[in-house]
Amino acid sequence: MLGRNLGRCLSRGWTRRTATSSQIVNVTSAPFQDVKCTTAAVLEDGKRVQVGFSDGSAFELHGLWLRDACRDSLLVSEAAGEKYLDRTAFKTIGAHADGKVRTVGVADGGLEVSWASEDAMQGVRSNFPSGFLRMFAPVAGKVIKGDGHHKSKEDFTWLEPYSGFPGAPAPLKKLWKNQGVTDQFEHRDFQAVTASDSANLEMLQALMRNGVMILDNVTATKEANVLLKFASDCLGGMQKDPARDEPNWVIQKKASAQSVSYAQEKRLNNHTDQSIPAHGIPALLLAVHYVSGTGCNTLVDGYAVAEAMKQYHPEAFHLLSTYGNPQERDYVRSRVDSTQEGTQSMLISTKQPIIQTDQNGGIVRIQYNEVFRTPSTVPFDKFEAWYEAYLLWNDMTHGPEFEVEVPVGHGQMLILDNWRVLHGRAGGKSSPDRIIMGGTVVREAFHSQVTRLMRAHYPVNDYASTVDGQHPVL
């Protein structure tokens, strides 16, 4: 699948970054240009419209949906990306549009519509690009002929779990354990990734497929500018930390450090970063740049641990995916050993299950950090069983079956899927001059970056439209 996706990207000229790579991408941006409208007919006295396409598909759409969904320049400001409120299908005062269609026709490969009963739209012909209609027709319309979605939808399936929509399905992952080899993770060249949109996209797809990516040949620097520019250009932008001026953190050895993060001779237990939760959700990506020295990170596929627990210890899985795990972090006190200055107090409390699932039991997110755990609120009659499950989780995430040691050093950058991969530090294996800079990227920034790189949008079905408690076939 990835090879086909990348091949399609390359076939559309997605190579080195140019001014055209910053083109506007929005809800009307279709990932294909090979399908045109060929037929159009008014049905049920203008209440519905049937549209046929050159790929042999045909759909029936509500006239009111067309009126409400129209994005042409009369109804939506191209410059602002906003609907004109005095031209919407509904009014705060007065008659609402009923969406009745007078005529339809094919124009320039798209659909042209005139309206029957709305005074403000008399004499107006609304235009719908063919790609826009072909994308949305299987979602908002009724299939009359053909297989439904355009084949290019497959290229966007991997991104759907990160859409942010309530009920989005869990991602499909290639799980991994400790393979007992020196380096089991994929590498990419930093200079290549930063020079090409296609290489950037391929790197992000590989990252989300495996959860780990190591970049080599990173530009040498003692400053944060390389990390911040990379995050902005290739990841979507680093999350701003409201408790300090810089968006990135800096960790270097400090004698007699109070925080384990800065006591580099000690082991740092495997965890996911809490970051600053956007809407209560931790950041999706973590980027760590080794600007000096060497270290040994420990990595664990949290999805693999959760799946193993689900298979062999189902009651433990149930408890850890049901009851919350309280966490509290003071973003000033926890950085008492940092070389950076705090700007304001910031106390964040969360209480999410360690294993978070979708409505079908698929694993969506791991959220676990022992150093910030606060007293449990699990009910009295469940606490002992929950704690036993918690100890099992701790054993599995720090045991040789799942934990992988990864040497990383100067000139490299480690990027992780923070919803999936736990990371830590092996004790006594960091050089005295180890300095790392890093930060987090929220889901919204990542999704925006990928959408820009793919230069298109593809709508998904409403997740409320389920059958027998299952997601619809997408």
Side-chain angles (χ1 to χ4, degrees):
M1 178 67 72
L2 179 59
R4 181 168 70 243
N5 292 353
L6 183 56
R8 289 178 181 172
C9 294
L10 294 173
S11 70
R12 286 187 285 223
W14 297 0
T15 53
R16 302 186 71 82
R17 286 187 169 85
T18 64
T20 59
S21 68
S22 61
Q23 66 183 8
I24 296 173
V25 178
N26 57 37
V27 71
T28 66
S29 304
F32 53 88
Q33 292 82 40
D34 62 339
V35 177
K36 305 297 181 182
C37 294
T38 54
T39 62
V42 177
L43 305 177
E44 296 189 22
D45 194 30
K47 290 185 64 177
R48 298 186 182 183
V49 169
Q50 184 169 311
V51 184
F53 295 91
S54 58
D55 63 354
S57 63
F59 303 87
E60 191 173 306
L61 296 160
H62 292 289
L64 186 57
W65 182 87
L66 288 168
R67 175 64 180 86
D68 184 66
C70 185
R71 308 288 297 179
D72 69 15
S73 60
L74 178 70
L75 300 174
V76 176
S77 166
E78 183 176 352
E82 299 177 354
K83 298 176 74 172
Y84 294 115
L85 294 180
D86 58 348
R87 303 172 193 171
T88 59
F90 66 89
K91 307 294 180 185
T92 54
I93 300 175
H96 303 303
D98 61 11
K100 291 193 71 173
V101 173
R102 184 187 304 278
T103 63
V104 293
V106 175
D108 297 325
L111 181 69
E112 186 176 78
V113 177
S114 67
W115 308 98
S117 58
E118 191 178 353
D119 291 341
M121 300 298 285
Q122 292 302 306
V124 172
R125 295 186 181 276
S126 299
N127 294 286
F128 299 83
S130 59
F132 168 73
L133 274 186
R134 183 63 182 85
M135 285 194 303
F136 275 91
V139 177
K142 180 171 70 173
V143 178
I144 302 300
K145 184 180 178 182
D147 297 327
H149 283 290
H150 188 271
K151 61 185 179 181
S152 65
K153 185 188 187 315
E154 296 176 7
D155 296 345
F156 292 80
T157 301
W158 73 278
L159 189 60
E160 193 173 332
Y162 313 107
S163 65
F165 300 141
L172 298 175
K173 297 292 189 181
K174 180 182 178 182
L175 304 181
W176 47 267
K177 297 181 180 182
N178 185 351
Q179 298 176 8
V181 297
T182 303
D183 187 356
Q184 67 181 64
F185 298 112
E186 294 188 24
H187 291 237
R188 298 292 186 274
D189 181 79
F190 178 84
Q191 305 302 327
V193 168
T194 56
S196 163
D197 276 0
S198 60
N200 187 176
L201 176 60
E202 189 278 333
M203 182 275 290
L204 291 175
Q205 289 178 311
L207 166 63
M208 302 316 291
R209 184 176 66 246
N210 301 310
V212 179
M213 178 59 64
I214 299 173
L215 299 182
D216 302 317
N217 195 28
V218 179
T219 303
T221 181
K222 296 292 185 180
E223 306 298 329
N225 59 311
V226 170
L227 171 68
L228 295 178
K229 181 172 173 51
F230 170 76
S232 178
D233 290 349
C234 298
L235 303 180
M238 192 156 285
Q239 183 178 16
K240 179 64 179 75
D241 190 318
R244 63 171 174 247
D245 289 333
E246 307 92 341
N248 65 285
W249 45 254
V250 179
I251 294 178
Q252 62 186 86
K253 184 177 181 179
K254 180 180 179 181
S256 303
Q258 300 299 306
S259 169
V260 67
S261 295
Y262 300 86
Q264 299 202 64
E265 71 282 357
K266 295 182 179 179
R267 160 140 199 173
L268 176 63
N269 286 4
N270 296 319
H271 62 284
T272 60
D273 266 23
Q274 298 295 81
S275 64
I276 306 268
H279 317 297
I281 300 175
L284 177 60
L285 302 182
L286 171 66
V288 181
H289 180 199
Y290 271 70
V291 298
S292 177
T294 59
C296 186
N297 288 89
T298 54
L299 303 179
V300 176
D301 186 346
Y303 285 1
V305 175
E307 289 289 358
M309 182 174 281
K310 186 177 184 180
Q311 180 177 359
Y312 299 109
H313 308 280
E315 181 57 27
F317 177 89
H318 170 74
L319 290 166
L320 296 185
S321 61
T322 301
Y323 293 100
N325 183 40
Q327 308 263 299
E328 179 182 275
R329 183 176 183 185
D330 185 318
Y331 280 80
V332 174
R333 293 174 60 203
S334 67
R335 293 163 177 163
V336 64
D337 301 303
S338 176
T339 58
Q340 298 168 285
E341 293 289 335
T343 57
Q344 66 179 56
S345 177
M346 176 64 66
L347 183 67
I348 297 290
S349 299
T350 61
K351 187 165 64 173
Q352 295 290 337
I354 293 172
I355 304 170
Q356 296 163 32
T357 63
D358 66 9
Q359 65 183 32
N360 296 319
I363 299 165
V364 172
R365 186 182 305 108
I366 304 298
Q367 193 168 337
Y368 167 74
N369 195 335
E370 172 62 20
V371 296
F372 298 122
R373 191 163 63 88
T374 56
S376 172
T377 56
V378 174
F380 178 85
D381 59 341
K382 299 290 185 180
F383 174 74
E384 290 184 325
W386 180 90
Y387 202 83
E388 185 177 351
Y390 184 79
L391 293 178
L392 176 61
W393 171 265
N394 185 72
D395 288 344
M396 293 176 72
T397 55
H398 293 88
E401 181 180 0
F402 293 100
E403 184 181 71
V404 181
E405 289 195 354
V406 184
V408 187
H410 172 68
Q412 292 184 304
M413 191 178 294
L414 177 65
I415 311 174
L416 303 176
D417 176 348
N418 187 53
W419 287 6
R420 172 185 180 182
V421 177
L422 292 77
H423 66 281
R425 181 183 64 229
K429 295 186 178 182
S430 298
S431 66
D433 62 338
R434 176 181 182 262
I435 300 176
I436 58 174
M437 296 180 179
T440 51
V441 177
V442 297
R443 179 208 63 78
E444 292 86 347
F446 165 80
H447 194 276
S448 175
Q449 173 70 1
V450 171
T451 301
R452 184 190 72 79
L453 292 171
M454 297 186 77
R455 300 186 185 176
H457 160 93
Y458 203 100
V460 298
N461 293 69
D462 193 316
Y463 298 119
S465 303
T466 56
V467 179
D468 296 328
Q470 301 296 311
H471 287 304
V473 177
L474 303 178

